[in-house]
Amino acid sequence: MKSIDFRENSGSALVEKARNDGIDGRVEIPDVAFSHCLLQDKYLRDVTFKAGAIQHCRFEYVNLRYAVFDRVNLTGSWFVACNLEHARFENCVLWYVVFERCELNYESILRSIPPENNIRRRLLRVLRINAASMGEKEWADRILLLELQAEREHLRDAVRHASDY
């Protein structure tokens, strides 16, 4: 994995306001293109990632409060002990995304839930386990019901051969 250091001006989208192993202030990063990267102990509060892809990246101890992920493909990314408390996920691709010990805005994530039953079920399981590990029992219970519904739909489609996968 390539580690990203925001102190380096390594791309046109990151040239502005890069300081202190993070980004201070409101910054919009259009057409983000990160792949197989490690972002560790970064401060990315109020950052807007607009369009593009952050695929197969690992975020560890990253402050992403009030961050906005707008039409970002997050396929295969891992968020470990991140603060996504007020982060918004708008029309994102969340295939095989993992959240571990993260503070999350569950309502926002559920609006970007994948339509494919098997992938939706997997993401809901990850969200439920995260909610339980963070002591958010009410969210864990709500997500469990959604997970069970997705599993029923997946099994129904498997029996009927109703899906392409």
Side-chain angles (χ1 to χ4, degrees):
M1 274 190 181
K2 183 175 108 183
S3 181
I4 294 182
D5 185 358
F6 286 102
R7 287 179 292 190
E8 298 172 9
N9 295 332
S10 60
S12 62
L14 301 175
V15 172
E16 296 179 42
K17 299 181 183 179
R19 262 188 274 147
N20 205 17
D21 270 354
I23 297 177
D24 281 338
R26 293 178 181 230
V27 175
E28 183 174 304
I29 302 175
D31 297 317
V32 64
F34 293 150
S35 177
H36 299 86
C37 297
L38 173 64
L39 286 92
Q40 196 171 31
D41 295 321
K42 304 291 184 201
Y43 182 84
L44 300 174
R45 184 178 175 169
D46 287 328
V47 173
T48 299
F49 298 100
K50 198 163 198 114
I54 302 174
Q55 295 180 324
H56 307 287
C57 291
R58 186 173 175 96
F59 294 79
E60 294 180 357
Y61 307 102
V62 178
N63 184 347
L64 289 160
R65 271 190 326 188
Y66 298 102
V68 178
F69 295 90
D70 183 13
R71 297 180 319 256
V72 176
N73 183 347
L74 292 164
T75 299
S77 292
W78 282 60
F79 294 85
V80 179
C82 293
N83 187 347
L84 292 150
E85 193 173 6
H86 297 284
R88 291 191 338 242
F89 294 83
E90 299 171 357
N91 300 314
C92 292
V93 177
L94 299 174
W95 284 31
Y96 308 107
V97 174
V98 175
F99 297 97
E100 287 182 13
R101 302 182 324 272
C102 293
E103 296 178 37
L104 295 174
N105 180 355
Y106 292 100
E107 290 177 9
S108 178
I109 293 173
L110 291 175
R111 283 193 293 267
S112 286
I113 207 87
E116 297 81 9
N117 293 331
N118 61 335
I119 299 170
R120 180 174 61 223
R121 179 182 54 134
R122 185 184 185 284
L123 178 60
L124 288 168
R125 179 169 292 145
V126 165
L127 291 173
R128 178 178 53 85
I129 291 169
N130 184 75
S133 72
M134 297 299 289
E136 298 177 355
K137 184 184 178 333
E138 184 177 317
W139 273 110
D141 292 345
R142 283 171 140 181
I143 294 170
L144 175 62
L145 295 175
L146 295 172
E147 180 187 348
L148 291 172
Q149 179 183 352
E151 186 170 2
R152 279 192 300 273
E153 291 171 4
H154 173 64
L155 292 172
R156 181 199 65 216
D157 289 349
V159 168
R160 292 181 180 171
H161 303 288
S163 64
D164 294 337
Y165 53 91

mmCIF file of all heavy atoms in Angstrom, residues 58-100:
data_model
loop_
_atom_site.group_PDB
_atom_site.id
_atom_site.type_symbol
_atom_site.label_atom_id
_atom_site.label_comp_id
_atom_site.label_asym_id
_atom_site.label_seq_id
_atom_site.Cartn_x
_atom_site.Cartn_y
_atom_site.Cartn_z
ATOM 1 N N ARG A 58 -7.256 2.027 2.778
ATOM 2 C CA ARG A 58 -7.445 1.781 4.203
ATOM 3 C C ARG A 58 -7.303 3.101 4.950
ATOM 4 O O ARG A 58 -6.275 3.767 4.835
ATOM 5 C CB ARG A 58 -6.428 0.757 4.697
ATOM 6 C CG ARG A 58 -6.630 0.329 6.119
ATOM 7 C CD ARG A 58 -5.675 -0.816 6.454
ATOM 8 N NE ARG A 58 -5.770 -1.172 7.838
ATOM 9 C CZ ARG A 58 -6.530 -2.160 8.314
ATOM 10 N NH1 ARG A 58 -7.246 -2.878 7.494
ATOM 11 N NH2 ARG A 58 -6.552 -2.431 9.599
ATOM 12 N N PHE A 59 -8.339 3.477 5.680
ATOM 13 C CA PHE A 59 -8.349 4.677 6.500
ATOM 14 C C PHE A 59 -8.229 4.234 7.951
ATOM 15 O O PHE A 59 -9.088 3.498 8.436
ATOM 16 C CB PHE A 59 -9.664 5.437 6.338
ATOM 17 C CG PHE A 59 -9.900 6.010 4.967
ATOM 18 C CD1 PHE A 59 -10.348 5.220 3.925
ATOM 19 C CD2 PHE A 59 -9.687 7.354 4.748
ATOM 20 C CE1 PHE A 59 -10.580 5.760 2.677
ATOM 21 C CE2 PHE A 59 -9.917 7.904 3.495
ATOM 22 C CZ PHE A 59 -10.360 7.108 2.459
ATOM 23 N N GLU A 60 -7.180 4.654 8.654
ATOM 24 C CA GLU A 60 -7.000 4.291 10.056
ATOM 25 C C GLU A 60 -6.901 5.556 10.896
ATOM 26 O O GLU A 60 -6.049 6.403 10.642
ATOM 27 C CB GLU A 60 -5.725 3.464 10.242
ATOM 28 C CG GLU A 60 -5.768 2.111 9.583
ATOM 29 C CD GLU A 60 -4.493 1.320 9.782
ATOM 30 O OE1 GLU A 60 -3.534 1.841 10.393
ATOM 31 O OE2 GLU A 60 -4.446 0.162 9.338
ATOM 32 N N TYR A 61 -7.758 5.672 11.886
ATOM 33 C CA TYR A 61 -7.751 6.799 12.821
ATOM 34 C C TYR A 61 -7.825 8.133 12.088
ATOM 35 O O TYR A 61 -7.126 9.087 12.424
ATOM 36 C CB TYR A 61 -6.506 6.756 13.722
ATOM 37 C CG TYR A 61 -6.344 5.434 14.419
ATOM 38 C CD1 TYR A 61 -5.424 4.499 13.959
ATOM 39 C CD2 TYR A 61 -7.134 5.102 15.511
ATOM 40 C CE1 TYR A 61 -5.285 3.266 14.577
ATOM 41 C CE2 TYR A 61 -7.001 3.876 16.135
ATOM 42 C CZ TYR A 61 -6.072 2.967 15.661
ATOM 43 O OH TYR A 61 -5.938 1.746 16.267
ATOM 44 N N VAL A 62 -8.699 8.218 11.101
ATOM 45 C CA VAL A 62 -8.844 9.426 10.300
ATOM 46 C C VAL A 62 -10.075 10.185 10.787
ATOM 47 O O VAL A 62 -11.139 9.609 10.973
ATOM 48 C CB VAL A 62 -8.978 9.100 8.797
ATOM 49 C CG1 VAL A 62 -9.179 10.353 7.977
ATOM 50 C CG2 VAL A 62 -7.749 8.350 8.317
ATOM 51 N N ASN A 63 -9.918 11.491 10.991
ATOM 52 C CA ASN A 63 -11.026 12.344 11.379
ATOM 53 C C ASN A 63 -11.713 12.830 10.107
ATOM 54 O O ASN A 63 -11.196 13.693 9.411
ATOM 55 C CB ASN A 63 -10.538 13.527 12.213
ATOM 56 C CG ASN A 63 -11.672 14.388 12.723
ATOM 57 O OD1 ASN A 63 -12.814 14.272 12.296
ATOM 58 N ND2 ASN A 63 -11.351 15.275 13.645
ATOM 59 N N LEU A 64 -12.868 12.264 9.810
ATOM 60 C CA LEU A 64 -13.638 12.622 8.624
ATOM 61 C C LEU A 64 -14.993 13.214 9.003
ATOM 62 O O LEU A 64 -15.955 13.110 8.244
ATOM 63 C CB LEU A 64 -13.843 11.379 7.744
ATOM 64 C CG LEU A 64 -12.607 10.859 7.023
ATOM 65 C CD1 LEU A 64 -12.784 9.413 6.608
ATOM 66 C CD2 LEU A 64 -12.290 11.724 5.835
ATOM 67 N N ARG A 65 -15.050 13.837 10.185
ATOM 68 C CA ARG A 65 -16.314 14.463 10.581
ATOM 69 C C ARG A 65 -16.688 15.546 9.585
ATOM 70 O O ARG A 65 -15.839 16.303 9.123
ATOM 71 C CB ARG A 65 -16.200 15.093 11.966
ATOM 72 C CG ARG A 65 -16.536 14.145 13.060
ATOM 73 C CD ARG A 65 -16.653 14.818 14.374
ATOM 74 N NE ARG A 65 -15.714 15.928 14.502
ATOM 75 C CZ ARG A 65 -15.518 16.591 15.607
ATOM 76 N NH1 ARG A 65 -16.188 16.293 16.670
ATOM 77 N NH2 ARG A 65 -14.657 17.567 15.653
ATOM 78 N N TYR A 66 -17.948 15.592 9.263
ATOM 79 C CA TYR A 66 -18.508 16.557 8.312
ATOM 80 C C TYR A 66 -17.928 16.410 6.906
ATOM 81 O O TYR A 66 -18.110 17.287 6.071
ATOM 82 C CB TYR A 66 -18.330 17.995 8.809
ATOM 83 C CG TYR A 66 -19.050 18.248 10.101
ATOM 84 C CD1 TYR A 66 -18.354 18.287 11.308
ATOM 85 C CD2 TYR A 66 -20.422 18.416 10.130
ATOM 86 C CE1 TYR A 66 -19.012 18.503 12.498
ATOM 87 C CE2 TYR A 66 -21.089 18.633 11.322
ATOM 88 C CZ TYR A 66 -20.379 18.674 12.497
ATOM 89 O OH TYR A 66 -21.033 18.881 13.679
ATOM 90 N N ALA A 67 -17.249 15.322 6.626
ATOM 91 C CA ALA A 67 -16.761 15.077 5.267
ATOM 92 C C ALA A 67 -17.951 14.684 4.393
ATOM 93 O O ALA A 67 -18.958 14.170 4.874
ATOM 94 C CB ALA A 67 -15.722 13.967 5.257
ATOM 95 N N VAL A 68 -17.811 14.932 3.112
ATOM 96 C CA VAL A 68 -18.857 14.580 2.153
ATOM 97 C C VAL A 68 -18.236 13.707 1.069
ATOM 98 O O VAL A 68 -17.214 14.076 0.487
ATOM 99 C CB VAL A 68 -19.487 15.845 1.521
ATOM 100 C CG1 VAL A 68 -20.531 15.455 0.482
ATOM 101 C CG2 VAL A 68 -20.092 16.737 2.583
ATOM 102 N N PHE A 69 -18.837 12.561 0.859
ATOM 103 C CA PHE A 69 -18.446 11.676 -0.231
ATOM 104 C C PHE A 69 -19.589 11.747 -1.243
ATOM 105 O O PHE A 69 -20.650 11.171 -1.021
ATOM 106 C CB PHE A 69 -18.248 10.242 0.262
ATOM 107 C CG PHE A 69 -17.118 10.087 1.227
ATOM 108 C CD1 PHE A 69 -17.321 10.219 2.592
ATOM 109 C CD2 PHE A 69 -15.839 9.800 0.772
ATOM 110 C CE1 PHE A 69 -16.283 10.074 3.488
ATOM 111 C CE2 PHE A 69 -14.788 9.643 1.659
ATOM 112 C CZ PHE A 69 -15.000 9.791 3.023
ATOM 113 N N ASP A 70 -19.391 12.475 -2.317
ATOM 114 C CA ASP A 70 -20.438 12.716 -3.302
ATOM 115 C C ASP A 70 -20.104 11.977 -4.593
ATOM 116 O O ASP A 70 -19.151 12.333 -5.286
ATOM 117 C CB ASP A 70 -20.558 14.221 -3.559
ATOM 118 C CG ASP A 70 -21.676 14.578 -4.510
ATOM 119 O OD1 ASP A 70 -22.528 13.706 -4.793
ATOM 120 O OD2 ASP A 70 -21.699 15.726 -4.988
ATOM 121 N N ARG A 71 -20.873 10.924 -4.893
ATOM 122 C CA ARG A 71 -20.689 10.092 -6.090
ATOM 123 C C ARG A 71 -19.275 9.507 -6.160
ATOM 124 O O ARG A 71 -18.638 9.507 -7.205
ATOM 125 C CB ARG A 71 -21.002 10.887 -7.357
ATOM 126 C CG ARG A 71 -22.424 11.368 -7.461
ATOM 127 C CD ARG A 71 -22.660 12.132 -8.729
ATOM 128 N NE ARG A 71 -21.562 13.015 -9.064
ATOM 129 C CZ ARG A 71 -21.555 14.335 -8.911
ATOM 130 N NH1 ARG A 71 -22.622 14.917 -8.441
ATOM 131 N NH2 ARG A 71 -20.512 15.045 -9.233
ATOM 132 N N VAL A 72 -18.800 9.009 -5.036
ATOM 133 C CA VAL A 72 -17.466 8.419 -4.953
ATOM 134 C C VAL A 72 -17.599 6.901 -4.910
ATOM 135 O O VAL A 72 -18.428 6.352 -4.185
ATOM 136 C CB VAL A 72 -16.711 8.926 -3.701
ATOM 137 C CG1 VAL A 72 -15.365 8.246 -3.567
ATOM 138 C CG2 VAL A 72 -16.540 10.425 -3.758
ATOM 139 N N ASN A 73 -16.769 6.230 -5.677
ATOM 140 C CA ASN A 73 -16.720 4.774 -5.674
ATOM 141 C C ASN A 73 -15.745 4.347 -4.573
ATOM 142 O O ASN A 73 -14.542 4.521 -4.703
ATOM 143 C CB ASN A 73 -16.260 4.263 -7.037
ATOM 144 C CG ASN A 73 -16.261 2.760 -7.124
ATOM 145 O OD1 ASN A 73 -16.373 2.066 -6.119
ATOM 146 N ND2 ASN A 73 -16.117 2.249 -8.325
ATOM 147 N N LEU A 74 -16.268 3.786 -3.494
ATOM 148 C CA LEU A 74 -15.455 3.378 -2.341
ATOM 149 C C LEU A 74 -15.238 1.862 -2.294
ATOM 150 O O LEU A 74 -14.966 1.306 -1.244
ATOM 151 C CB LEU A 74 -16.120 3.839 -1.046
ATOM 152 C CG LEU A 74 -16.157 5.338 -0.820
ATOM 153 C CD1 LEU A 74 -17.159 5.708 0.261
ATOM 154 C CD2 LEU A 74 -14.785 5.846 -0.461
ATOM 155 N N THR A 75 -15.326 1.195 -3.406
ATOM 156 C CA THR A 75 -15.241 -0.259 -3.461
ATOM 157 C C THR A 75 -13.999 -0.793 -2.748
ATOM 158 O O THR A 75 -12.884 -0.366 -3.018
ATOM 159 C CB THR A 75 -15.225 -0.740 -4.926
ATOM 160 O OG1 THR A 75 -16.431 -0.339 -5.553
ATOM 161 C CG2 THR A 75 -15.088 -2.250 -5.012
ATOM 162 N N GLY A 76 -14.215 -1.718 -1.817
ATOM 163 C CA GLY A 76 -13.127 -2.414 -1.145
ATOM 164 C C GLY A 76 -12.369 -1.612 -0.107
ATOM 165 O O GLY A 76 -11.341 -2.076 0.384
ATOM 166 N N SER A 77 -12.849 -0.438 0.261
ATOM 167 C CA SER A 77 -12.124 0.383 1.236
ATOM 168 C C SER A 77 -12.461 -0.034 2.665
ATOM 169 O O SER A 77 -13.545 -0.522 2.946
ATOM 170 C CB SER A 77 -12.455 1.866 1.037
ATOM 171 O OG SER A 77 -11.919 2.308 -0.185
ATOM 172 N N TRP A 78 -11.488 0.159 3.563
ATOM 173 C CA TRP A 78 -11.638 -0.172 4.981
ATOM 174 C C TRP A 78 -11.510 1.107 5.791
ATOM 175 O O TRP A 78 -10.586 1.896 5.573
ATOM 176 C CB TRP A 78 -10.528 -1.123 5.442
ATOM 177 C CG TRP A 78 -10.730 -2.539 5.055
ATOM 178 C CD1 TRP A 78 -10.838 -3.042 3.807
ATOM 179 C CD2 TRP A 78 -10.842 -3.632 5.952
ATOM 180 N NE1 TRP A 78 -11.001 -4.396 3.860
ATOM 181 C CE2 TRP A 78 -11.005 -4.788 5.158
ATOM 182 C CE3 TRP A 78 -10.800 -3.759 7.332
ATOM 183 C CZ2 TRP A 78 -11.143 -6.039 5.718
ATOM 184 C CZ3 TRP A 78 -10.933 -5.011 7.876
ATOM 185 C CH2 TRP A 78 -11.105 -6.142 7.077
ATOM 186 N N PHE A 79 -12.421 1.293 6.739
ATOM 187 C CA PHE A 79 -12.372 2.414 7.674
ATOM 188 C C PHE A 79 -12.209 1.808 9.066
ATOM 189 O O PHE A 79 -13.093 1.094 9.538
ATOM 190 C CB PHE A 79 -13.649 3.238 7.603
ATOM 191 C CG PHE A 79 -13.848 3.944 6.287
ATOM 192 C CD1 PHE A 79 -14.443 3.301 5.213
ATOM 193 C CD2 PHE A 79 -13.432 5.260 6.132
ATOM 194 C CE1 PHE A 79 -14.632 3.951 4.004
ATOM 195 C CE2 PHE A 79 -13.616 5.920 4.927
ATOM 196 C CZ PHE A 79 -14.212 5.268 3.863
ATOM 197 N N VAL A 80 -11.072 2.062 9.705
ATOM 198 C CA VAL A 80 -10.779 1.492 11.024
ATOM 199 C C VAL A 80 -10.646 2.629 12.030
ATOM 200 O O VAL A 80 -9.785 3.508 11.875
ATOM 201 C CB VAL A 80 -9.482 0.651 10.993
ATOM 202 C CG1 VAL A 80 -9.183 0.086 12.363
ATOM 203 C CG2 VAL A 80 -9.583 -0.455 9.960
ATOM 204 N N ALA A 81 -11.490 2.625 13.048
ATOM 205 C CA ALA A 81 -11.460 3.605 14.133
ATOM 206 C C ALA A 81 -11.473 5.037 13.609
ATOM 207 O O ALA A 81 -10.748 5.892 14.085
ATOM 208 C CB ALA A 81 -10.264 3.367 15.044
ATOM 209 N N CYS A 82 -12.311 5.280 12.622
ATOM 210 C CA CYS A 82 -12.430 6.614 12.037
ATOM 211 C C CYS A 82 -13.635 7.340 12.620
ATOM 212 O O CYS A 82 -14.600 6.725 13.046
ATOM 213 C CB CYS A 82 -12.589 6.529 10.523
ATOM 214 S SG CYS A 82 -11.140 5.915 9.677
ATOM 215 N N ASN A 83 -13.569 8.653 12.606
ATOM 216 C CA ASN A 83 -14.690 9.460 13.044
ATOM 217 C C ASN A 83 -15.429 9.962 11.808
ATOM 218 O O ASN A 83 -14.999 10.900 11.158
ATOM 219 C CB ASN A 83 -14.210 10.633 13.900
ATOM 220 C CG ASN A 83 -15.362 11.393 14.508
ATOM 221 O OD1 ASN A 83 -16.513 11.219 14.137
ATOM 222 N ND2 ASN A 83 -15.047 12.265 15.449
ATOM 223 N N LEU A 84 -16.522 9.302 11.476
ATOM 224 C CA LEU A 84 -17.382 9.672 10.353
ATOM 225 C C LEU A 84 -18.736 10.119 10.890
ATOM 226 O O LEU A 84 -19.776 9.913 10.264
ATOM 227 C CB LEU A 84 -17.565 8.472 9.420
ATOM 228 C CG LEU A 84 -16.325 8.018 8.663
ATOM 229 C CD1 LEU A 84 -16.367 6.540 8.380
ATOM 230 C CD2 LEU A 84 -16.206 8.801 7.382
ATOM 231 N N GLU A 85 -18.703 10.754 12.054
ATOM 232 C CA GLU A 85 -19.913 11.041 12.812
ATOM 233 C C GLU A 85 -20.952 11.834 12.022
ATOM 234 O O GLU A 85 -22.128 11.514 12.035
ATOM 235 C CB GLU A 85 -19.538 11.786 14.086
ATOM 236 C CG GLU A 85 -20.634 11.868 15.092
ATOM 237 C CD GLU A 85 -20.145 12.455 16.388
ATOM 238 O OE1 GLU A 85 -18.991 12.907 16.472
ATOM 239 O OE2 GLU A 85 -20.944 12.466 17.330
ATOM 240 N N HIS A 86 -20.572 12.871 11.355
ATOM 241 C CA HIS A 86 -21.513 13.680 10.582
ATOM 242 C C HIS A 86 -21.183 13.634 9.094
ATOM 243 O O HIS A 86 -21.568 14.532 8.350
ATOM 244 C CB HIS A 86 -21.504 15.122 11.078
ATOM 245 C CG HIS A 86 -21.960 15.250 12.496
ATOM 246 N ND1 HIS A 86 -23.284 15.162 12.868
ATOM 247 C CD2 HIS A 86 -21.275 15.434 13.639
ATOM 248 C CE1 HIS A 86 -23.383 15.298 14.175
ATOM 249 N NE2 HIS A 86 -22.175 15.460 14.668
ATOM 250 N N ALA A 87 -20.476 12.623 8.674
ATOM 251 C CA ALA A 87 -20.103 12.500 7.263
ATOM 252 C C ALA A 87 -21.339 12.133 6.445
ATOM 253 O O ALA A 87 -22.248 11.469 6.929
ATOM 254 C CB ALA A 87 -19.027 11.437 7.089
ATOM 255 N N ARG A 88 -21.339 12.588 5.204
ATOM 256 C CA ARG A 88 -22.446 12.287 4.304
ATOM 257 C C ARG A 88 -21.943 11.447 3.140
ATOM 258 O O ARG A 88 -20.900 11.733 2.564
ATOM 259 C CB ARG A 88 -23.060 13.582 3.776
ATOM 260 C CG ARG A 88 -23.787 14.368 4.830
ATOM 261 C CD ARG A 88 -24.623 15.499 4.262
ATOM 262 N NE ARG A 88 -24.228 15.971 2.943
ATOM 263 C CZ ARG A 88 -23.809 17.207 2.678
ATOM 264 N NH1 ARG A 88 -23.695 18.079 3.639
ATOM 265 N NH2 ARG A 88 -23.488 17.550 1.453
ATOM 266 N N PHE A 89 -22.717 10.423 2.812
ATOM 267 C CA PHE A 89 -22.440 9.566 1.668
ATOM 268 C C PHE A 89 -23.596 9.763 0.692
ATOM 269 O O PHE A 89 -24.718 9.350 0.976
ATOM 270 C CB PHE A 89 -22.347 8.094 2.097
ATOM 271 C CG PHE A 89 -21.179 7.802 2.988
ATOM 272 C CD1 PHE A 89 -21.247 8.027 4.351
ATOM 273 C CD2 PHE A 89 -20.008 7.297 2.451
ATOM 274 C CE1 PHE A 89 -20.167 7.754 5.167
ATOM 275 C CE2 PHE A 89 -18.932 7.018 3.266
ATOM 276 C CZ PHE A 89 -19.003 7.259 4.626
ATOM 277 N N GLU A 90 -23.317 10.404 -0.435
ATOM 278 C CA GLU A 90 -24.365 10.720 -1.400
ATOM 279 C C GLU A 90 -24.094 9.989 -2.713
ATOM 280 O O GLU A 90 -23.112 10.268 -3.387
ATOM 281 C CB GLU A 90 -24.423 12.233 -1.634
ATOM 282 C CG GLU A 90 -24.740 12.999 -0.367
ATOM 283 C CD GLU A 90 -24.603 14.499 -0.516
ATOM 284 O OE1 GLU A 90 -24.208 14.964 -1.610
ATOM 285 O OE2 GLU A 90 -24.873 15.200 0.460
ATOM 286 N N ASN A 91 -24.964 9.050 -3.042
ATOM 287 C CA ASN A 91 -24.862 8.278 -4.283
ATOM 288 C C ASN A 91 -23.500 7.612 -4.445
ATOM 289 O O ASN A 91 -22.906 7.649 -5.519
ATOM 290 C CB ASN A 91 -25.160 9.159 -5.497
ATOM 291 C CG ASN A 91 -26.542 9.743 -5.436
ATOM 292 O OD1 ASN A 91 -27.502 9.041 -5.144
ATOM 293 N ND2 ASN A 91 -26.650 11.036 -5.696
ATOM 294 N N CYS A 92 -22.996 7.017 -3.387
ATOM 295 C CA CYS A 92 -21.686 6.361 -3.415
ATOM 296 C C CYS A 92 -21.830 4.883 -3.743
ATOM 297 O O CYS A 92 -22.873 4.276 -3.506
ATOM 298 C CB CYS A 92 -20.993 6.501 -2.061
ATOM 299 S SG CYS A 92 -20.521 8.183 -1.687
ATOM 300 N N VAL A 93 -20.774 4.308 -4.270
ATOM 301 C CA VAL A 93 -20.706 2.864 -4.495
ATOM 302 C C VAL A 93 -20.002 2.278 -3.269
ATOM 303 O O VAL A 93 -18.838 2.565 -3.015
ATOM 304 C CB VAL A 93 -19.925 2.536 -5.784
ATOM 305 C CG1 VAL A 93 -19.796 1.030 -5.954
ATOM 306 C CG2 VAL A 93 -20.607 3.163 -6.992
ATOM 307 N N LEU A 94 -20.729 1.476 -2.513
ATOM 308 C CA LEU A 94 -20.207 0.925 -1.259
ATOM 309 C C LEU A 94 -20.045 -0.590 -1.322
ATOM 310 O O LEU A 94 -20.365 -1.304 -0.390
ATOM 311 C CB LEU A 94 -21.138 1.307 -0.093
ATOM 312 C CG LEU A 94 -21.302 2.795 0.169
ATOM 313 C CD1 LEU A 94 -22.359 3.046 1.232
ATOM 314 C CD2 LEU A 94 -19.981 3.414 0.571
ATOM 315 N N TRP A 95 -19.517 -1.083 -2.419
ATOM 316 C CA TRP A 95 -19.307 -2.515 -2.569
ATOM 317 C C TRP A 95 -18.127 -2.949 -1.710
ATOM 318 O O TRP A 95 -17.031 -2.415 -1.832
ATOM 319 C CB TRP A 95 -19.018 -2.863 -4.017
ATOM 320 C CG TRP A 95 -20.204 -2.859 -4.927
ATOM 321 C CD1 TRP A 95 -21.322 -2.087 -4.826
ATOM 322 C CD2 TRP A 95 -20.391 -3.663 -6.067
ATOM 323 N NE1 TRP A 95 -22.182 -2.350 -5.843
ATOM 324 C CE2 TRP A 95 -21.634 -3.328 -6.629
ATOM 325 C CE3 TRP A 95 -19.613 -4.631 -6.684
ATOM 326 C CZ2 TRP A 95 -22.125 -3.937 -7.763
ATOM 327 C CZ3 TRP A 95 -20.104 -5.230 -7.826
ATOM 328 C CH2 TRP A 95 -21.351 -4.891 -8.355
ATOM 329 N N TYR A 96 -18.354 -3.929 -0.849
ATOM 330 C CA TYR A 96 -17.316 -4.550 -0.025
ATOM 331 C C TYR A 96 -16.568 -3.548 0.851
ATOM 332 O O TYR A 96 -15.381 -3.710 1.112
ATOM 333 C CB TYR A 96 -16.341 -5.362 -0.899
ATOM 334 C CG TYR A 96 -17.062 -6.330 -1.785
ATOM 335 C CD1 TYR A 96 -17.166 -6.111 -3.154
ATOM 336 C CD2 TYR A 96 -17.682 -7.448 -1.241
ATOM 337 C CE1 TYR A 96 -17.863 -6.994 -3.968
ATOM 338 C CE2 TYR A 96 -18.385 -8.330 -2.045
ATOM 339 C CZ TYR A 96 -18.462 -8.105 -3.406
ATOM 340 O OH TYR A 96 -19.156 -8.980 -4.209
ATOM 341 N N VAL A 97 -17.250 -2.520 1.312
ATOM 342 C CA VAL A 97 -16.671 -1.544 2.229
ATOM 343 C C VAL A 97 -16.791 -2.095 3.644
ATOM 344 O O VAL A 97 -17.778 -2.733 3.994
ATOM 345 C CB VAL A 97 -17.392 -0.180 2.119
ATOM 346 C CG1 VAL A 97 -16.901 0.810 3.151
ATOM 347 C CG2 VAL A 97 -17.210 0.388 0.720
ATOM 348 N N VAL A 98 -15.772 -1.849 4.471
ATOM 349 C CA VAL A 98 -15.756 -2.344 5.850
ATOM 350 C C VAL A 98 -15.584 -1.161 6.798
ATOM 351 O O VAL A 98 -14.753 -0.281 6.566
ATOM 352 C CB VAL A 98 -14.606 -3.358 6.057
ATOM 353 C CG1 VAL A 98 -14.510 -3.783 7.510
ATOM 354 C CG2 VAL A 98 -14.810 -4.570 5.162
ATOM 355 N N PHE A 99 -16.381 -1.165 7.864
ATOM 356 C CA PHE A 99 -16.265 -0.179 8.934
ATOM 357 C C PHE A 99 -15.998 -0.936 10.222
ATOM 358 O O PHE A 99 -16.783 -1.809 10.591
ATOM 359 C CB PHE A 99 -17.557 0.627 9.074
ATOM 360 C CG PHE A 99 -17.918 1.447 7.868
ATOM 361 C CD1 PHE A 99 -18.829 0.960 6.941
ATOM 362 C CD2 PHE A 99 -17.353 2.691 7.665
ATOM 363 C CE1 PHE A 99 -19.170 1.698 5.826
ATOM 364 C CE2 PHE A 99 -17.690 3.433 6.546
ATOM 365 C CZ PHE A 99 -18.604 2.951 5.629
ATOM 366 N N GLU A 100 -14.891 -0.619 10.897
ATOM 367 C CA GLU A 100 -14.551 -1.253 12.181
ATOM 368 C C GLU A 100 -14.351 -0.170 13.234
ATOM 369 O O GLU A 100 -13.510 0.707 13.058
ATOM 370 C CB GLU A 100 -13.245 -2.048 12.068
ATOM 371 C CG GLU A 100 -13.329 -3.324 11.305
ATOM 372 C CD GLU A 100 -11.999 -4.061 11.299
ATOM 373 O OE1 GLU A 100 -11.091 -3.710 12.085
ATOM 374 O OE2 GLU A 100 -11.865 -4.987 10.486
#
